[in-house]
Amino acid sequence: MEDEWKTMTKTQHPWQLGPTELIEFALERMHKGGDFDRRLAFLILDVGVETLFKTYLTLPDGVTQFQTKRGERHTAAEGNFHELLRGVQVASPLKASKFNFAYLEHYHNLRNTLYHQGNQVTAVPMNQLEGYARLAVEILHEYLEVDLSVNLNPPEPVIKTGDDPVLDSVEVGVSFGRFRIERLKS
């Protein structure tokens, strides 16, 4: 029964859920296509990455091998984004060596522009959004062992035939599965 549950969900541990849901939601918005959806996706990706790193740094010592003491990790987790990144790099240099943290800072700075300039920024370049999405998915896999790589691709469109055409639909992923909600003409 437990193995069946693991195959139905992407997460196995309670600390995986929050960061996974945020990044998964951002990936869903990314595929919507509108400027608003892409802005929202970018903002939520950044929140997801920050939550992922804070979660990682506050894990109990027995969950993973850390190179720093618990108190140092908690201090980094409570600091600003740049202190958080440094804390993650010091806590696990081997994991950190697999990523270019300058990219994370670049994306976070772009997020700051988007967030703090509000209406002055009306679009997020798709290549920036896709780059951050790929990086967030890779980091989630490395640090919290959750694989959302399949979510990087847009969902297959559902083609309906019949008397009641679909006007709008959205695909929603939750911890226990993916669902499509459709609004019919009727």
Side-chain angles (χ1 to χ4, degrees), residues 73-180:
R73 295 194 314 272
H74 280 264
T75 299
E78 293 169 359
N80 65 35
F81 190 78
H82 304 288
E83 293 165 339
L84 179 64
L85 292 185
R86 282 192 296 279
V88 168
Q89 290 171 300
V90 173
S92 185
L94 184 59
K95 286 182 184 293
S97 70
K98 298 176 184 177
F99 302 99
N100 186 338
F101 276 67
Y103 288 4
L104 286 165
E105 290 191 46
H106 167 79
Y107 292 130
H108 182 73
N109 290 338
L110 182 57
R111 171 263 182 215
N112 282 343
T113 301
L114 180 65
Y115 183 76
H116 294 294
Q117 291 185 5
N119 285 336
Q120 296 174 7
V121 180
T122 58
V124 173
M126 194 61 176
N127 65 331
Q128 297 288 323
L129 177 55
E130 288 173 341
Y132 203 8
R134 276 191 306 278
L135 184 56
V137 166
E138 290 169 5
I139 289 170
L140 180 65
H141 188 259
E142 180 65 30
Y143 284 90
L144 295 183
E145 300 174 346
V146 177
D147 186 4
L148 292 181
S149 59
V150 70
N151 297 52
L152 288 169
N153 300 317
E156 293 292 322
V158 176
I159 300 171
K160 291 278 187 179
T161 59
D163 297 340
D164 201 4
V166 175
L167 294 179
D168 192 17
S169 69
V170 63
E171 191 167 311
V172 179
V174 292
S175 61
F176 54 88
R178 294 187 72 77
F179 302 92
R180 178 170 299 279

Side-chain angles (χ1 to χ4, degrees), residues 7-43:
T7 59
M8 291 174 45
T9 63
K10 292 176 184 69
T11 60
Q12 298 177 27
H13 306 292
W15 54 81
Q16 295 169 317
L17 190 60
T20 300
E21 287 179 329
L22 288 167
I23 293 171
E24 194 170 39
F25 177 79
L27 296 174
E28 290 169 10
R29 300 315 316 169
M30 178 176 81
H31 297 305
K32 291 295 175 190
D35 286 341
F36 174 74
D37 289 309
R38 287 193 297 274
R39 287 192 315 267
L40 181 60
F42 201 88
L43 291 168

Side-chain angles (χ1 to χ4, degrees), residues 43-56:
L43 291 168
I44 298 300
L45 269 176
D46 195 68
V47 172
V49 168
E50 189 168 350
T51 303
L52 183 163
F53 282 149
K54 286 181 178 190
T55 299
Y56 178 74

